[in-house]
Amino acid sequence: KDEPGKGGFVMSSKPGLYDYVIVCDFKSLYPSLIRTFNIDPYSYVAPADRPKHPNKEKYVTTANGAMFKNQEGILPKIITDVWHQRDAAKKRKDTAETIYALKIIMNSFYGVLGNPACRFFNPEVANAITSTGQEIIKLTTKKVQELGYEVIYGDTDSIFVVTGAEDADDARKIGKKIQKHVNGFYDEYIKKEYHRDNAMELQFEKLFKVFLMPTIRGSDEGAKKRYAGIILKDDDTEEMHFTGMESVRGDWTDMAKKFQEELFELVFRKKEVSEYVKKFIKELKSGKYDDMLVYRKSLSKPL
């Protein structure tokens, strides 16, 4: 029970300011891995029972060495049923809560397999999911790079790709091209290497017109789970987006959020920033933002 669970893969980022970055992510990665590789407590082959030279048509070996019978397991069947329910709910245009609840149910199976309170608790089975997920993201990165595009970041189930596009339409075409190429590759690869049908699906999810990958403070190394940019929607409307930055953290002041959002807006629009910074500092010292200099911290334990 003391064995730590293996987490998702987070790639070291390449910091910088980029134009036309696309985000591609796998639709429900962990549930689709369970389906693709038959990661299933009932199909699990204990170490003592594993053949030395397993027949690939009879056994599936995942990235961490866990082995499963190559059959249709119970857990993959349950997930497939919930998956179809979710797709049907989307088609019926059910409430967002219904669709989200079905997504959470699918994703919860990985969590319970790694929880000692679960009767099917098995660290090797849980780590089969995350280890294989890590290998899939690394292999996907390699396949995208083979197409001639730079991958600047990867996080659990997604990759961030610099397209080198001239405009938004060009970037969207590249996103669709990458999506089609990677999905076609996995359909063949899973059939050839594992004698199974592929359930993984890469989706071209977002297009950033401008994208900033910051460095870790006081270092040249790229940050993880921290980035910002301007997202271009399908109708070409623009939206500022922050992940892991001060502007979306609850424990920073409203003043810090205001400064960061306005400063980044200028940077992304390629406008002069030094005068803005000087003016902001002057206004701050004059007391203009005193009402915004409040730090809030949630107390989760008794004082």
Side-chain angles (χ1 to χ4, degrees), residues 20-220:
Y20 296 114
V21 169
I22 60 168
V23 182
C24 296
D25 63 17
F26 281 97
K27 178 183 174 184
S28 301
L29 179 62
Y30 285 1
S32 69
L33 290 172
I34 291 170
R35 290 174 65 192
T36 300
F37 296 93
N38 193 41
I39 298 171
D40 174 44
Y42 184 72
S43 304
Y44 174 72
V45 181
D49 300 328
R50 290 172 193 170
K52 283 187 178 177
H53 305 288
N55 181 334
K56 284 188 178 182
E57 291 185 16
K58 291 184 178 178
Y59 297 98
V60 177
T61 305
T62 54
N64 67 331
M67 191 178 286
F68 303 88
K69 290 172 189 170
N70 193 348
Q71 59 191 23
E72 290 313 306
I74 297 168
L75 182 55
K77 174 73 170 68
I78 292 169
I79 283 179
T80 302
D81 288 346
V82 179
W83 192 296
H84 290 156
Q85 286 178 51
R86 186 169 176 238
D87 286 345
K90 282 181 177 177
K91 280 180 186 167
R92 289 194 305 267
K93 293 186 168 56
D94 282 1
T95 62
E97 289 83 0
T98 303
I99 294 163
Y100 187 65
L102 290 163
K103 178 184 177 181
I104 291 299
I105 288 168
M106 282 199 302
N107 285 317
S108 70
F109 287 108
Y110 155 67
V112 297
L113 290 171
N115 185 339
C118 174
R119 74 167 67 208
F120 298 111
F121 168 67
N122 187 329
E124 192 177 32
V125 175
N127 286 336
I129 299 166
T130 48
S131 300
T132 306
Q134 288 194 13
E135 291 306 308
I136 291 297
I137 291 296
K138 289 174 189 173
L139 182 54
T140 303
T141 298
K142 185 182 171 191
K143 290 292 144 193
V144 172
Q145 287 170 336
E146 284 173 5
L147 287 174
Y149 302 107
E150 184 183 14
V151 178
I152 54 169
Y153 184 55
D155 186 358
T156 307
D157 61 357
S158 57
I159 54 169
F160 293 66
V161 184
V162 180
T163 60
E166 295 292 318
D167 54 34
D169 287 341
D170 190 23
R172 289 186 182 108
K173 282 177 189 168
I174 291 167
K176 295 289 183 189
K177 174 184 163 188
I178 288 171
Q179 176 182 298
K180 185 179 178 184
H181 176 78
V182 170
N183 288 332
F185 164 75
Y186 279 118
D187 285 346
E188 289 182 20
Y189 175 75
I190 298 300
K191 205 169 248 12
K192 183 183 171 189
E193 293 294 319
Y194 297 94
H195 299 275
R196 294 187 61 78
D197 291 331
N198 171 42
M200 298 179 291
E201 183 187 346
L202 187 74
Q203 297 176 314
F204 161 41
E205 191 68 27
K206 291 189 197 88
L207 167 60
F208 282 95
K209 184 180 181 182
V210 191
F211 182 80
L212 175 75
M213 200 83 228
T215 56
I216 296 170
R217 286 191 190 88
S219 162
D220 294 331

